[in-house]
């Protein structure tokens, strides 16, 4: 017994020294400053090579690694940061601005400006990504033939990603894309582009699980957040959207065989002057897709054209519409504590599929006005329940 009383604390002390030192030693990060690797902070000198070198070294490091981008403007062409890497703790700490080439053709024919592919444990924090998209938007609106444009920042087939306190400015196309990823946290991000910029979705998520988007401000020309097929366990909280096209699930049902969208929470969001508020949209054609277990909660609408919308006859500009019936099944969608003002008479619109009516739609404490009067609701092939004060009412 006596031996035990003495040896236990001793063993504990030895163990804690062992764990403490191993944690401290293994956590010692290596830092790669892009300027030390040849990048120039003048906004003109092509610094792409320095960024690629920094990534190659960080990725090959057995210890956690930091890529440091100091203040200043760094001219960057399109880059792919490829994994897998030897460590799963790479931090890209940006204090400056990454600037795309002013000639939109340099990036515009590729899919991405900055792509992280097959990485695990990457954090990107701070900084501004200035994609200089305005000249491409102008080309598109002139009716000339133009490249489709690049996504500013994409994570592809990657896990355990954090993006924080980053600003995406004037993307050519989508600002941030999360595609084929697990466990992604996007927080305190800002997205800025003009309200009439084409296809500049703020954050697009698809084929991904466990994505969290927090405390984000999005002003753009297309959806603030778009949620594509194969998205599950998505959490969106504390977002300010507008201008923009709102937060959209879809468009779904583009393909006959398509993964569904499941377990999406959108809470504490303010939409200001947007085309839509919370929307689910699908093409009118056969598909095995679905959207279910969706919660929209604590939403404020300020002068929004379509505050609450399910559109299963989605066809922008009414061009090349499939003109069939949507196969996408929509069920268990809850709207809780939604209030504010609509910019059109119809504030709640459920235009569901005749073949697959929307079911278990729940409206709880919804109050939307149009010109200081209760707005209107319109339901086609939609069933569900209302509880609490629901204005407009009488639609489900
Ligand atoms: C739904 O997603 C959240 C994360 O957004 C997760 O915490 C929760 O466990 C998921 N629920 C189910 C039933 O999978």
């Amino acid at each position: 017994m006596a031996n035990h009383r003495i040896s236990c604390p001793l063993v504990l002390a030895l163990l804690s020294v062992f764990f403490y030192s191993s944690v401290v030693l293994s956590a010692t990060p290596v830092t790669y400053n892009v300027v030390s690797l040849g990048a120039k902070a003048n906004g003109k000198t092509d610094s792409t090579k320095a960024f690629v070198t920094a990534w190659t070294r960080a990725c090959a490091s057995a210890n956690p690694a930091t890529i440091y981008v100091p203040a200043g403007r760094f001219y960057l062409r399109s880059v792919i940061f490829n994994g897998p890497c030897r460590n799963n703790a790479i931090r890209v700490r940006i204090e400056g601005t990454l600037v795309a080439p002013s000639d939109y053709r340099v990036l515009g024919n590729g899919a991405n400006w900055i792509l992280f592919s097959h990485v695990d444990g990457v954090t990107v924090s701070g900084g501004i990504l200035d994609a200089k998209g305005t000249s491409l938007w102008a080309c598109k609106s002139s009716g000339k033939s133009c490249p489709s444009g690049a996504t500013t920042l994409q994570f592809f087939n990657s896990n355990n990603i954090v993006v924080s306190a980053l600003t995406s400015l004037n993307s050519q196309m989508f600002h941030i894309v999360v595609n084929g990823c697990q466990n992604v946290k996007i927080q305190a991000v800002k997205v800025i582009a003009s309200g009439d910029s084409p296809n500049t979705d703020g954050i697009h998520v698809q084929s991904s699980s466990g994505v969290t988007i927090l405390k984000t401000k999005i002003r753009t020309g297309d959806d603030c957040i778009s949620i594509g097929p194969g998205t599950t366990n998505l959490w969106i909280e504390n977002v300010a959207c507008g201008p923009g096209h709102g937060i959209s699930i879809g468009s779904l049902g583009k393909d006959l065989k398509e993964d569904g969208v499941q377990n999406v929470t959108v809470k504490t969001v303010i939409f200001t002057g947007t085309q839509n508020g919370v929307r689910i949209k699908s093409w009118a054609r056969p598909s095995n897709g679905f959207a279910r277990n969706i919660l929209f909660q604590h939403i404020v609408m300020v002068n929004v054209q379509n505050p609450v919308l399910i559109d299963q006859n989605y066809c922008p500009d009414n061009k090349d519409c499939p003109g069939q019936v949507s196969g996408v099944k929509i069920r268990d969608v809850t709207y809780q504590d939604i209030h504010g003002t609509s910019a059109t008479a119809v504030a709640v619109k459920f235009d569901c599929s005749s073949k697959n009516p929307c079911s278990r739609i729940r409206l709880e404490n919804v109050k939307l006005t149009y010109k200081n009067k209760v707005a209107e609701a319109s339901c086609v092939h939609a069933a569900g329940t209302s509880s609490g004060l629901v204005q407009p009412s009488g639609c489900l």
Side-chain angles (χ1 to χ4, degrees):
M1 289 306 275
N3 273 347
H4 272 99
R5 278 192 195 118
I6 295 163
S7 63
C8 275
L10 189 65
V11 167
L12 277 177
L14 284 171
L15 276 174
S16 57
V17 166
F18 173 74
F19 280 115
Y20 177 75
S21 53
S22 65
V23 164
V24 167
L25 289 177
S26 70
T28 308
V30 211
T31 296
Y32 302 98
N33 183 333
V34 292
V35 169
S36 317
L37 296 168
K40 294 276 182 291
N42 59 17
K44 294 193 187 94
T45 311
D46 187 347
S47 295
T48 313
K49 241 180 102 185
F51 279 76
V52 171
T53 305
W55 175 261
T56 306
R57 294 194 187 166
C59 185
S61 161
N63 289 331
T66 295
I67 295 170
Y68 175 57
V69 182
R73 295 171 66 78
F74 296 90
Y75 176 102
L76 191 69
R77 285 179 291 113
S78 61
V79 279
I80 303 179
F81 298 127
N82 248 317
C85 296
R86 268 187 81 198
N87 73 85
N88 57 7
I90 296 181
R91 179 157 189 185
V92 184
R93 193 157 76 81
I94 310 172
E95 278 174 2
T97 300
L98 310 188
V99 194
S102 354
D103 179 350
Y104 59 75
R105 288 169 300 188
V106 179
L107 295 184
N109 290 305
N112 302 286
W113 179 21
I114 300 163
L115 171 65
F116 288 87
S117 180
H118 297 88
V119 301
D120 185 359
V122 169
T123 295
V124 181
S125 66
I128 301 172
L129 310 181
D130 181 358
K132 302 212 161 184
T134 52
S135 54
L136 177 62
W137 311 337
C139 172
K140 286 181 174 178
S141 73
S142 75
K144 278 188 282 188
S145 98
C146 326
S148 56
T151 288
T152 287
L153 175 65
Q154 170 152 198
F155 294 90
F156 178 67
N157 280 5
S158 295
N159 300 331
N160 308 312
I161 302 300
V162 176
V163 180
S164 78
L166 172 129
T167 298
S168 174
L169 181 63
N170 297 335
S171 187
Q172 288 190 339
M173 273 269 286
F174 291 9
H175 287 260
I176 298 173
V177 170
V178 175
N179 182 3
C181 297
Q182 277 181 37
N183 188 23
V184 177
K185 196 164 178 183
I186 297 175
Q187 58 188 358
V189 159
K190 278 193 194 130
V191 168
I192 304 168
S194 91
D196 57 9
S197 55
N199 297 113
T200 51
D201 293 35
I203 301 173
H204 175 77
V205 181
Q206 69 176 55
S207 307
S208 295
S209 182
V211 177
T212 305
I213 300 169
L214 302 174
K215 262 188 73 183
T216 290
K217 283 200 172 95
I218 302 172
R219 298 190 268 145
T220 196
D222 207 307
D223 291 334
C224 287
I225 301 176
S226 53
I227 299 157
T231 302
T232 61
N233 302 355
L234 170 64
W235 190 278
I236 296 168
E237 183 171 359
N238 224 317
V239 172
C241 166
H245 293 182
I247 294 184
S248 299
I249 295 178
S251 26
L252 304 178
K254 205 170 182 97
D255 299 316
L256 188 57
K257 278 197 72 184
E258 185 178 275
D259 291 332
V261 172
Q262 185 157 237
N263 185 18
V264 173
T265 299
V266 177
K267 70 184 280 187
T268 318
V269 176
I270 178 162
F271 294 95
T272 308
T274 50
Q275 187 196 72
N276 309 284
V278 289
R279 169 167 69 157
I280 302 175
K281 54 180 173 172
S282 78
W283 296 91
R285 66 156 71 94
S287 173
N288 69 343
F290 61 83
R292 60 186 180 226
N293 302 330
I294 315 292
L295 172 62
F296 299 111
Q297 192 183 46
H298 310 317
I299 311 278
V300 176
M301 307 283 179
V302 182
N303 201 31
V304 172
Q305 287 172 45
N306 305 290
V308 172
L309 177 62
I310 296 179
D311 179 4
Q312 294 209 261
N313 290 293
Y314 176 69
C315 187
D317 306 323
N318 280 315
K319 269 200 316 225
D320 308 319
C321 301
Q324 300 170 66
V325 172
S326 176
V328 172
K329 294 173 191 60
I330 297 174
R331 69 159 166 85
D332 287 293
V333 183
T334 301
Y335 301 87
Q336 220 170 44
D337 181 24
I338 317 278
H339 63 269
T341 57
S342 174
T344 67
V346 178
V348 175
K349 185 174 176 184
F350 299 131
D351 180 12
C352 297
S353 160
S354 57
K355 219 170 173 178
N356 302 285
C358 299
S359 62
R360 289 195 271 179
I361 306 292
R362 279 179 287 265
L363 293 168
E364 277 177 51
N365 299 315
V366 173
K367 188 176 181 209
L368 293 162
T369 60
Y370 170 60
K371 292 190 171 162
N372 293 318
K373 296 200 190 86
V374 174
E376 292 164 30
S378 146
C379 298
V380 178
H381 307 301
T385 55
S386 295
S387 63
L389 176 76
V390 174
Q391 290 182 338
S393 66
C395 171
L396 289 173

